[in-house]
């Protein structure tokens, strides 16, 4: 189901898109009335969500045109002008719902779902509109800050430095800045600056002329030139070799590059976005990263919060990835509220990437269509077991994780099996301490003697064994 979103405030558009995608819609976004009319003419939509004040006119005044051509299309109106006038005008259009800003994003998503269900499904015979909407999912306050930073760099060429742990979405943000920004019609060229061999750095970044060195059989354009008119994304900048840092700095300072073996200074026409999962300040202190390059790159820093600091986003992301998994041909699954809650409480040290991979695996392996905690637990254990081994194995919760991974008790028996697995070493240890004396063991445990005797026989633990050993 497709929704057309007409909203010129990109930070709001990103948030709405994320919420609607989480509801299973595919969202096509545009920023003007002209684009709205063009897109409506080209594709079939189940709902229109529109702002009022748009760069080329008033979303309400021009709605009659939409009504005339698409009488069954439900319309939801958003407005920052929370005046009675706007509200009345919105209602007069027969809009499904009018939302004054700021609005509750969940309520909006619900309304659009109802609206789309109520509409008779205007299929004008057009093709499914292109575009998956905006890719960055998340509604937490931490992500809203990221969205606001993104919107501030869309209409300029300021250098952006994206910082954050691995898997937090740095590359996705770089792509969003490009795709939404004024250079979107130009190329987006990504370079992993840590992976270029030292002797190829200049040629890779700046290009070379034919015959510049042995093997240079033809002219080669470097990444800077390939990205002309667009964006150059310098990834893993914190791991860039020192020599390459010096070359890069020189290019950025002069605003020009020269191909290896070439004469001409070529003016740069790129927006630079750099990213790293390293903390650059200690790298600078240790002499591994040039301070002057750091200041050159760190014009607009965007900090990507780790997933554990925005737990509100985990459920939305999980549903988003389940949807994607289904679109890619994996079985379509639903997450129960309890399962979402369990996922939100995991540490996700690998951040969104780890969550994404986990959800795909879950979609593939879960036995039921509705995913509940029972289907998640065994997979979670596998997930966390190797990562946690570095942190010492004495921790009880890790022992439980490992046990779950190894035993994989059948659904419906997990608690009983876990309790038994826990009681066995516990009772054995206490019996050892009391030399097999059941009365003293029961007292130490604080349980009834008969209960202990019953459990020992159920667990096939023989107290005599501890008498003999002690
Ligand atoms: N907010 C988000 N919404 C949807 N998908 C996301 C989001 N953040 C990250 N992802 C997905 O998670 C994965 C990891 O993201 P990305 O590659 O951008 O991380 P990164 O910060 O560049 O990591 P690294 O430092 O390891 O390179 C990608 O598949 C990306 O699409
Ligand atoms: Mg990356």
């Amino acid at each position: 189901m497709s929704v057309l979103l007409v909203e010129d405030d990109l930070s709001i558009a990103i948030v709405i898109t994320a919420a609607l995608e989480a509801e299973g819609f595919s969202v096509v976004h545009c920023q003007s009335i002209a684009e709205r009319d063009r897109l409506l003419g080209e594709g079939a939509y189940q709902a229109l969500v529109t702002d009022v004040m748009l760069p080329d006119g008033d979303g309400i005044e021009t709605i009659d045109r939409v009504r005339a051509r698409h009488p069954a299309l439900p319309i939801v109106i958003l407005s920052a002008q929370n005046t009675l006038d706007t509200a009345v005008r919105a209602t007069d259009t027969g809009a499904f719902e009018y939302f004054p800003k700021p609005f509750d994003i969940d309520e909006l998503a619900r309304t659009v779902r109802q609206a789309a269900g109520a509409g008779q499904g205007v299929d004008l015979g057009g093709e499914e509109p292109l575009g998956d909407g905006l890719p960055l999912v998340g509604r937490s306050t931490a992500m809203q800050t990221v969205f606001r930073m993104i919107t501030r760099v869309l209409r300029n060429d300021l250098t952006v430095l994206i910082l954050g742990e691995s898997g937090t979405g740095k590359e996705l943000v770089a792509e969003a800045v490009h795709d939404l920004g004024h250079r979107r019609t130009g190329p987006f060229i990504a370079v992993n600056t840590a992976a270029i061999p030292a002797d190829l750095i200049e040629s890779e970044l700046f290009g070379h002329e034919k015959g510049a060195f042995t093997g240079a059989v033809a002219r080669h354009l470097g990444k800077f030139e390939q990205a002309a008119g667009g964006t150059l994304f310098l990834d893993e900048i914190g791991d860039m070799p020192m020599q390459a840092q010096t070359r890069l700095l020189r290019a950025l300072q002069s605003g020009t590059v020269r191909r290896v073996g070439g004469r001409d200074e070529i003016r740069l026409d790129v927006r630079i976005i750099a990213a790293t999962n390293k903390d650059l300040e200690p790298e600078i202190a240790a002499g591994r990263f040039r301070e002057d390059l750091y200041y050159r790159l760190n014009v607009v820093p965007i900090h990507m919060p780790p997933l554990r600091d925005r737990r509100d986003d985990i459920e939305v992301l999980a549903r988003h990835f389940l949807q994607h998994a289904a679109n890619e041909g994996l079985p379509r699954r639903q997450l129960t509220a309890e399962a979402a809650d369990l996922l939100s409480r995991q540490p996700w040290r690998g951040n969104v990437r780890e969550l994404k991979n986990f959800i795909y695996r879950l979609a593939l392996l879960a036995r039921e269509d509705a995913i509940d905690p029972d289907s998640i637990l065994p997979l979670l254990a596998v997930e966390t077991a190797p990562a946690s081994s570095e942190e010492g194995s004495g921790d009880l919760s890790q022992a439980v994780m490992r046990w779950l991974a190894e035993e994989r008790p059948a659904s419906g028996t997990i608690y009983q099996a876990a309790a038994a697995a826990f009681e066995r070493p516990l009772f054995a240890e206490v019996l050892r301490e009391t030399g097999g004396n059941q009365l003293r063991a029961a007292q130490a445990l604080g349980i009834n003697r008969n209960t202990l005797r019953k459990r020992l026989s159920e667990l096939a633990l023989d107290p005599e064994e501890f008498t003999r050993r002690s």
Side-chain angles (χ1 to χ4, degrees), residues 158-463:
L158 296 175
T159 298
V160 177
L161 177 62
I162 310 171
L163 301 157
E165 291 178 12
S166 188
T168 46
K170 296 186 292 297
E171 182 155 2
L172 214 52
V173 167
E175 287 168 359
V177 168
H178 176 80
D179 292 344
L180 301 170
H182 67 145
R183 287 177 167 267
R184 63 176 162 270
T185 51
F188 176 86
I189 302 288
V191 199
N192 181 343
T193 54
I196 312 175
D199 52 339
L200 290 181
I201 285 159
E202 278 200 274
S203 159
E204 271 297 297
L205 292 180
F206 312 132
H208 61 245
E209 295 293 349
K210 181 176 176 177
F213 47 84
T214 330
V217 290
R219 169 188 278 181
H220 168 74
L221 291 189
K223 300 292 183 191
F224 273 95
E225 276 189 85
Q226 290 173 24
T231 305
L232 180 61
F233 177 46
L234 302 170
D235 204 0
E236 316 292 353
I237 197 89
D239 298 293
M240 192 178 198
M242 211 52 184
Q243 195 191 356
Q245 292 179 29
T246 309
R247 299 278 151 72
L248 174 62
L249 179 67
R250 204 182 300 148
L252 297 180
Q253 278 170 340
S254 68
T256 60
V257 295
R258 193 193 303 192
R259 296 185 199 122
V260 178
R263 292 160 173 249
D264 303 335
E265 295 284 344
I266 300 151
R267 278 225 72 76
L268 298 183
D269 174 21
V270 291
R271 126 78 57 85
I272 303 280
I273 305 180
T276 179
N277 54 24
K278 281 219 169 132
D279 205 350
L280 288 179
E281 266 142 38
E283 292 297 298
I284 295 168
R288 284 190 296 266
F289 198 83
R290 292 189 64 128
E291 190 168 16
D292 40 10
L293 178 59
Y294 173 68
Y295 289 121
R296 209 23 86 180
L297 295 174
N298 192 27
V299 181
V300 182
I302 298 184
H303 293 271
M304 297 306 295
L307 193 52
R308 62 183 170 279
D309 290 352
R310 43 178 165 122
R311 297 195 180 272
D312 294 357
D313 288 341
I314 293 176
E315 176 171 353
V316 194
L317 280 164
R319 295 191 194 278
H320 169 78
F321 292 137
L322 271 181
Q323 176 76 36
H324 270 237
N327 294 348
E328 289 173 26
L330 292 175
R332 191 167 291 276
R333 314 280 194 199
Q334 302 300 325
L335 211 56
T336 67
E338 295 75 25
D341 184 56
L342 177 64
L343 289 177
S344 316
R345 285 185 279 112
Q346 301 310 309
W348 303 118
R349 290 188 190 81
N351 294 297
V352 184
R353 180 180 295 117
E354 184 187 3
L355 176 65
K356 180 178 181 178
N357 292 341
F358 182 81
I359 294 294
Y360 271 71
R361 197 147 53 243
L362 197 58
L364 188 69
L365 298 178
R367 297 208 186 95
E368 316 277 335
D369 284 344
I371 294 177
D372 59 8
D374 282 353
S375 14
I376 292 181
L377 274 171
L379 287 179
L380 264 185
V382 178
E383 192 85 0
T384 36
S388 57
S389 59
E390 309 155 5
E391 291 170 25
S393 46
D395 188 273
L396 188 58
S397 68
Q398 288 171 16
V400 172
M401 291 300 190
R402 260 197 311 283
W403 174 83
L404 272 169
E406 283 156 17
E407 297 301 317
R408 293 175 163 270
S411 178
T413 69
I414 294 180
Y415 181 83
Q416 286 305 326
F422 179 75
E423 281 175 335
R424 175 178 282 278
L426 179 69
F427 292 167
E429 184 52 31
V430 176
L431 281 168
R432 208 167 285 132
E433 282 174 12
T434 63
N437 184 318
Q438 287 184 59
L439 181 57
R440 280 178 38 227
Q443 279 167 348
L445 285 161
I447 61 175
N448 186 288
R449 184 187 171 177
N450 292 325
T451 309
L452 178 63
R453 183 181 298 135
K454 180 164 167 279
R455 286 303 285 146
L456 288 178
S457 93
E458 281 165 3
L459 294 167
L461 266 178
D462 178 9

Side-chain angles (χ1 to χ4, degrees), residues 49-79:
V49 178
T50 180
D51 195 0
V52 178
M53 296 288 283
L54 291 156
D56 57 346
D58 182 315
I60 294 182
E61 275 170 13
T62 55
I63 216 93
D64 285 346
R65 280 215 296 275
V66 178
R67 279 252 169 277
R69 285 190 215 140
H70 315 284
L73 180 69
I75 301 170
V76 176
I77 291 177
L78 314 165
S79 178

